[in-house]
């Protein structure tokens, strides 16, 4: 993808799962990944995979989105290494499942702060670096849980509410940045089966039939599609599925 060649891409939550797959796919497309997350071991593993696949050296930044101090430190570290960034993918979030016991205050505050407060502070503080780019994009990885028509399914109410707020965050950024070169893009995944690049689930994902769950690959390809559109086009994409989608019981 020529439009992504040499783009500096910040990916939060890139130590595992969807975030790692996004970072790997962006590096494959020619980007220079800036890996952010709470798990240094996971970040190192993602960086090693990227180096092995594409020969690209990744920047690794410690980041806990639920901690405002950690967000500030991460921004300072990114600014020290990069004069500009081209892509910010707000993927980092905490999953919280519904259960029979009350959630702790740490769980509730953690899931909401990571998805909303931390994501907003990170975006706000990195906007000056995005404004220095010739092709600046912010991508919010939301969730079908953030859509008004979505069923609660197994999500806890704080997660459900945080994802609804995250959708508003992406929409608010789009309005705030209207008339500037910065696009605010959003992709809403359903419940997913994990798939790692070069893994069996990744290879077989395009062969799944209607009624089967979506995979990590489906979301990665939706993000790459949105990023590679002409600059006058901004996309909000809902990736749905019968199993784990908006209307699943």
């Amino acid at each position: 993808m020529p439009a992504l060649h040499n783009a500096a891409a910040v990916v939060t939550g890139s130590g595992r799962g969807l975030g790692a797959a996004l970072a790997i796919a962006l590096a494959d497309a020619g980007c220079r990944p800036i890996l952010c997350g709470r798990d240094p071991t996971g970040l190192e593993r993602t960086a090693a995979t990227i180096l092995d696949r594409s020969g690209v050296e990744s920047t690794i930044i410690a980041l806990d989105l639920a901690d405002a101090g950690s967000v500030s430190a991460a921004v300072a570290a990114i600014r020290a290494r990069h004069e500009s960034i081209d892509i910010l993918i707000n993927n980092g979030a905490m999953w919280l499942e519904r259960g029979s016991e009350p959630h702790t205050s740490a769980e509730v505050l953690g899931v909401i702060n990571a998805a909303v407060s931390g994501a907003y502070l990170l975006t706000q503080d990195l906007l000056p670096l995005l404004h220095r780019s010739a092709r600046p994009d912010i991508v919010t990885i939301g969730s079908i849980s953030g859509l008004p028509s979505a069923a609660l399914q197994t999500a806890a109410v704080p997660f459900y509410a945080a994802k609804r707020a995250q959708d508003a965050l992406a929409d608010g950024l789009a309005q705030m940045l209207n008339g500037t070169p910065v696009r605010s893009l959003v992709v809403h995944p359903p419940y997913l089966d994990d798939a790692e690049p070069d893994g069996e689930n990744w290879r077989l994902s395009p062969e799944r039939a209607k009624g089967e769950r979506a995979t990590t690959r489906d979301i990665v390809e939706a993000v790459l599609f949105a990023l590679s559109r002409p600059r006058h086009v901004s996309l909000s994409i809902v990736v749905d599925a019968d199993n784990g989608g908006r209307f699943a019981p």
Side-chain angles (χ1 to χ4, degrees):
M1 293 184 179
L4 300 180
H5 181 68
N6 207 38
V10 174
V11 184
T12 66
S14 51
R16 61 183 178 86
L18 177 58
L22 283 165
I24 292 165
L26 286 167
D28 286 348
C31 291
R32 294 176 287 123
I34 303 165
L35 310 177
C36 299
R38 293 179 295 163
D39 177 15
T41 302
L43 295 175
E44 292 283 358
R45 185 167 52 245
T46 302
T49 300
I50 289 170
L51 184 62
D52 183 60
R53 287 171 64 97
S54 57
V56 175
E57 293 274 2
S58 304
T59 303
I60 293 178
I61 305 289
L63 171 64
D64 181 354
L65 285 166
D67 181 341
S70 178
V71 173
S72 296
V75 169
I78 294 170
R79 286 175 174 169
R81 293 168 172 82
H82 300 271
E83 293 185 358
S84 67
I85 60 171
D86 304 292
I87 300 167
L88 168 60
I89 299 189
N90 284 320
N91 164 76
M94 295 182 183
W95 164 248
L96 190 60
E97 191 165 6
R98 184 162 37 121
S100 57
E101 297 297 321
H103 297 294
T104 66
S105 58
E107 288 174 330
V108 173
L109 293 173
V111 72
I112 292 174
N113 284 336
V116 187
S117 305
Y120 178 75
L121 290 172
L122 181 71
T123 303
Q124 173 182 257
D125 292 348
L126 290 180
L127 268 176
L129 273 65
L130 283 161
H131 279 300
R132 294 176 191 162
S133 168
R135 46 102 56 247
D137 283 325
I138 300 165
V139 182
T140 300
I141 304 298
S143 168
I144 58 152
S145 293
L147 303 176
S149 57
L152 184 62
Q153 298 191 55
T154 62
V157 169
F159 178 86
Y160 190 80
K163 285 298 182 178
R164 186 76 61 88
Q166 205 171 39
D167 183 48
L169 178 63
D171 184 60
L173 287 169
Q175 295 184 53
M176 183 182 78
L177 296 167
N178 186 39
T180 78
V182 186
R183 297 188 298 185
S184 176
L185 315 172
V186 62
V187 176
H188 293 293
Y191 286 65
L192 298 171
D193 284 342
D194 195 30
E196 297 181 2
D198 287 341
E200 188 74 359
N201 268 3
W202 188 275
R203 184 178 66 81
L204 295 176
S205 180
E207 301 177 16
R208 292 193 169 199
K210 190 174 186 294
E212 296 185 80
R213 287 167 76 99
T215 74
T216 305
R217 178 173 176 174
D218 300 311
I219 309 311
V220 169
E221 292 181 348
V223 171
L224 292 174
F225 179 77
L227 287 170
S228 60
R229 292 312 87 204
R231 298 301 302 171
H232 68 287
V233 174
S234 297
L235 295 182
S236 174
I237 301 174
V238 176
V239 181
D240 212 343
D242 290 353
N243 185 345
R246 285 179 296 170
F247 309 121

